Amino acid sequence: MSKKKIVAEETNFQKNDAFNLTMIPGAFARKMRTCLIWQFIRFITINIKMIIVVGKSH
Amino acid sequence: MARLVVLGGGVAGHTTATFAARWLGSEHEVVVVTPNAKWNWIPSNIWVGVGEMKKEEVTFDLAPVYAKAGITYRQAKAVSINPEGGESSDQPFVTIEYTSADKAGQSETIEYDYLVNATGPKLNFGATPGLGEGSQLGEHTVSVCTSDHAVHAFEKLTEAIEKMKAGTRQKILVGTGHGMCTCQGAAFEYIFNIEHELRKAGVRDMADIKWISNESFLGDFGMGGLHLKVGGFVVSSKLFAESLFAERNVEWIIGAHVSKVEEGKVHYELLDGSTGEEEFDFSMLIPPFAGVGLKAYNKAGEDITDTVFAPNGFMKVDANYNAGAYENWKASDWPKTYQNPTYKNMFAAGIAFAPPHIISKPMSSPNGTPINPTPPRTGMPSGIIGKTVAHSVCALIAKGENAHLHEASMAKMGAACVASAGKGVFTGTAAAMTVYPVVPDFEKYPGTGRDTNYTFGEIGLAGHWIKHILHHLFIYKAKLNPGWTLIPE
Ligand SMILES: Cc1cc2nc3c(=O)[nH]c(=O)nc-3n(C[C@H](O)[C@H](O)[C@H](O)COP(=O)(O)OP(=O)(O)OC[C@H]3O[C@@H](n4cnc5c(N)ncnc54)[C@H](O)[C@@H]3O)c2cc1C
């Protein structure tokens, strides 16, 4: 019998029909959400974009 | 000397009053009438509701701030407006009723030259039986709309967590308490903060968490949804939201009008006309919003509330209220100056203005029950509108009635929304979203109705940092600390 291969972030697909029809982030995407270096870069980028939107709105 | 009276000291009213006082100087008078002694940074109530912040961290006393700004402060609620004056004078006035402990219940009239109505929403708990009319806290459910509500919500959440720790499974239900609610974003933040807190407390596996909302699809947010650029694709916010719900194992019921709330149970009707029940142990349901119920009278004392206010109680402004069917709706229906069409010295800012129509596609069940989100007027638009109206009033005072009025249409304005999904400097995350413009303009941006270079969203720690910084920045600004005018709305 082959061994079970559990991918933790994929188990939720089976919990609900609606979950099964959407996308769920994999391990890499999740890791990047709290990766300090990447998030620092995103922090700067999002801030710049938000400042532009604020500027366009006034 | 001219007198500007601002009704409501929330996001919009506080912005109007503080800028107007600064620009007008001591030559003219700015009066704020607002029932609370404290200012509340409402978005952070979410963190009070999960015990990550204390009420004192999201509120501060208004009196010293207004004293510093030279603003006359009345801790009272406005009751009625007489825009043509009364028997003895043509000078318009408002009637107020004090709420401060020393003068509670006493009435007074205040004459004005210009009036800004920024009274925000009435939390209309009474629209759904059992939602909490009377208690104003939620009867069987809780709310996070005020800091006191959030304190109460945290008490109830703590009880549920204790039960889980003792081995009793809990059903958690969060969302909107009526088919015509707005503010889905706040409920969205709260459900994911609860989920985060349960994981932190080690009891996530003891909870079934469910979302219930009047949106016809997840991620509508009262804006008809939005399209975001993600990983080279332009995707609907439906996919973005569903992905987060699936990842965090949060089920959803959508297109739902909550028709009745009982102890531990909600009854609802769905867009397909079917009905259902959902049980809960802990539930936070946002009540629908209405205008605060101000009355208006003409010089003869006759009731002209219908002339000044729309049926939902919000003040009529320069919007196109006759746009008709959904197919005819245009970005240009949305107001630009927020001036009342009948009484030109009256404006409405923030949630207090009557929108021309909703933004999401109108929907109703086969039984005729309308089930669609009403338009959000979040913090950034409310602040920008408040400042724009202050500009206009100052121009009218300085240059007379033909002065150019400033404009800030929600169809030309963006909104930055950061929806917290858990607090923690290194563990927190938030969905940082920017939408431009808030009201889609399909003539200018055929396809999505919005500029996808500036309509984006992503989940991560960066969003959480931004949310945290905004909390401190906006409270700093609202306290009128040095450099406050440099901080954008
Ligand atoms: C829980 C929650 C979370 C939120 N999170 C966000 C977020 O993350 N980002 C965002 O952009 N927006 C958020 N919002 C929305 C944001 O709080 C509102 O858009 C904003 O407060 C609207 O400003 P306003 O001035 O129109 O109304 P308010 O801020 O509600 O102010 C209205 C004021 O009028 C006063 N008032 C009421 N009746 C009277 C009367 N009769 N006479 C005089 N004064 C009166 C009230 O006491 C209040 O001070 C959130 C809302 C909630 C409820």
Side-chain angles (χ1 to χ4, degrees):
Chain A
M1 205 176 83
S2 62
K3 246 177 93 187
K4 251 193 200 176
K5 189 173 175 237
I6 298 173
V7 182
E9 57 280 1
E10 289 172 13
T11 54
N12 278 9
F13 279 121
Q14 278 305 303
K15 290 189 179 162
N16 179 303
D17 284 349
F19 291 178
N20 204 20
L21 298 176
T22 187
M23 56 179 193
I24 295 183
F28 179 72
R30 287 180 200 218
K31 190 87 201 129
M32 293 309 270
R33 285 180 181 174
T34 47
C35 163
L36 287 182
I37 299 168
W38 177 241
Q39 286 302 314
F40 183 72
I41 296 167
R42 295 312 300 156
F43 177 77
I44 304 288
T45 315
I46 298 170
N47 268 300
I48 292 170
K49 283 201 176 194
M50 282 186 173
I51 288 166
I52 295 172
V53 170
V54 170
K56 281 161 83 80
S57 304
H58 275 73
Chain B
M1 189 186 94
R3 180 186 286 155
L4 162 65
V5 174
V6 179
L7 307 180
V11 173
H14 193 70
T15 308
T16 305
T18 49
F19 275 105
R22 185 179 173 91
W23 293 330
L24 292 171
S26 53
E27 218 180 302
H28 304 283
E29 189 186 9
V30 176
V31 180
V32 173
V33 176
T34 196
N36 302 325
K38 288 184 186 284
W39 195 81
N40 176 205
W41 176 238
I42 298 172
S44 295
N45 288 351
I46 299 294
W47 287 334
V48 177
V50 291
E52 289 284 354
M53 272 193 182
K54 295 265 171 263
K55 181 183 162 183
E56 294 69 37
E57 292 174 84
V58 302
T59 56
F60 63 80
D61 286 331
L62 274 174
V65 175
Y66 285 154
K68 178 163 73 175
I71 292 170
T72 309
Y73 167 46
R74 296 274 179 270
Q75 194 191 332
K77 62 176 187 192
V79 180
S80 59
I81 307 172
N82 287 60
E84 299 171 4
E87 268 176 26
S88 53
S89 155
D90 290 343
Q91 189 67 29
F93 65 89
V94 284
T95 304
I96 65 167
E97 195 180 295
Y98 280 92
T99 53
S100 55
D102 56 335
K103 288 183 170 179
Q106 288 179 31
S107 287
E108 191 178 293
T109 58
I110 306 177
E111 293 186 342
Y112 65 83
D113 297 293
Y114 294 93
L115 183 78
V116 176
N117 172 20
T119 45
K122 170 188 167 191
L123 303 175
N124 197 8
F125 286 103
T128 304
L131 193 61
E133 179 74 336
S135 76
Q136 294 304 328
L137 268 179
E139 198 171 329
H140 309 294
T141 57
V142 300
S143 146
V144 284
C145 290
T146 71
S147 55
D148 285 328
H149 289 177
V151 170
H152 171 245
F154 177 55
E155 282 166 17
K156 295 288 173 195
L157 180 64
T158 309
E159 287 172 18
I161 292 176
E162 288 310 317
K163 284 184 189 157
M164 286 182 239
K165 283 183 176 165
T168 313
R169 236 188 138 67
Q170 296 284 285
K171 285 189 171 182
I172 292 178
L173 184 69
V174 174
T176 54
H178 189 272
M180 302 272 282
C181 280
T182 181
C183 221
Q184 288 76 15
F188 176 93
E189 275 193 78
Y190 195 53
I191 200 167
F192 287 111
N193 270 273
I194 290 178
E195 200 272 341
H196 181 84
E197 291 301 316
L198 297 188
R199 267 188 286 140
K200 254 172 63 181
V203 291
R204 177 62 185 90
D205 57 337
M206 293 298 290
D208 300 310
I209 310 182
K210 203 172 256 189
W211 171 257
I212 186 163
S213 115
N214 56 348
E215 300 158 287
S216 64
F217 60 90
L218 266 190
D220 177 289
F221 295 125
M223 296 187 290
L226 46 138
H227 288 81
L228 314 153
K229 265 194 184 157
V230 182
F233 287 79
V234 178
V235 299
S236 161
S237 51
K238 176 177 186 283
L239 205 54
F240 182 80
E242 285 182 353
S243 170
L244 182 63
F245 276 70
E247 177 198 339
R248 302 276 181 101
N249 193 13
V250 175
E251 293 186 10
W252 62 82
I253 303 170
I254 44 165
H257 161 64
V258 171
S259 54
K260 189 174 160 193
V261 185
E262 293 172 352
E263 183 66 39
K265 193 194 280 181
V266 299
H267 299 255
Y268 60 82
E269 178 183 343
L270 294 180
L271 271 169
D272 65 7
S274 62
T275 54
E277 293 174 2
E278 187 65 32
E279 293 188 349
F280 63 82
D281 298 295
F282 170 88
S283 175
M284 195 293 290
L285 296 179
I286 299 267
F289 291 175
V292 298
L294 296 177
K295 293 274 180 198
Y297 301 101
N298 67 9
K299 195 164 173 56
E302 292 156 347
D303 193 325
I304 52 162
T305 307
D306 290 353
T307 310
V308 176
F309 295 95
N312 55 13
F314 295 121
M315 187 180 261
K316 289 182 191 166
V317 292
D318 60 322
N320 175 16
Y321 294 110
N322 300 311
Y326 176 68
E327 295 68 37
N328 304 325
W329 293 359
K330 288 200 173 76
S332 55
D333 297 339
W334 285 76
K336 297 175 186 70
T337 65
Y338 303 88
Q339 188 180 41
N340 180 263
T342 316
Y343 300 101
K344 303 286 181 191
N345 59 347
M346 240 163 44
F347 294 79
I351 292 176
F353 84 80
H357 42 68
I358 61 174
I359 303 175
S360 308
K361 200 168 183 175
M363 305 249 176
S364 55
S365 75
N367 313 320
T369 310
I371 307 178
N372 42 230
T374 45
R377 276 146 292 160
T378 54
M380 185 170 148
S382 297
I384 293 176
I385 294 168
K387 189 172 178 181
T388 304
V389 166
H391 263 303
S392 295
V393 171
C394 292
L396 288 166
I397 291 173
K399 297 181 187 149
E401 60 183 28
N402 293 325
H404 169 74
L405 297 184
H406 289 247
E407 296 185 354
S409 164
M410 280 174 59
K412 292 201 168 108
M413 186 195 297
C417 292
V418 189
S420 162
K423 196 168 173 289
V425 183
F426 299 115
T427 56
T429 48
M433 271 183 280
T434 295
V435 48
Y436 185 87
V438 177
V439 174
D441 183 343
F442 288 99
E443 283 170 7
K444 189 162 177 192
Y445 308 104
T448 71
R450 298 195 175 96
D451 185 338
T452 46
N453 284 326
Y454 299 106
T455 302
F456 66 95
E458 66 180 68
I459 296 168
L461 198 50
H464 172 71
W465 293 336
I466 294 171
K467 179 99 188 164
H468 214 84
I469 290 170
L470 291 180
H471 165 90
H472 292 290
L473 216 55
F474 285 126
I475 291 184
Y476 181 91
K477 177 180 170 147
K479 285 182 175 172
L480 311 185
N481 283 324
W484 67 272
T485 54
L486 302 173
I487 300 169
E489 285 64 49

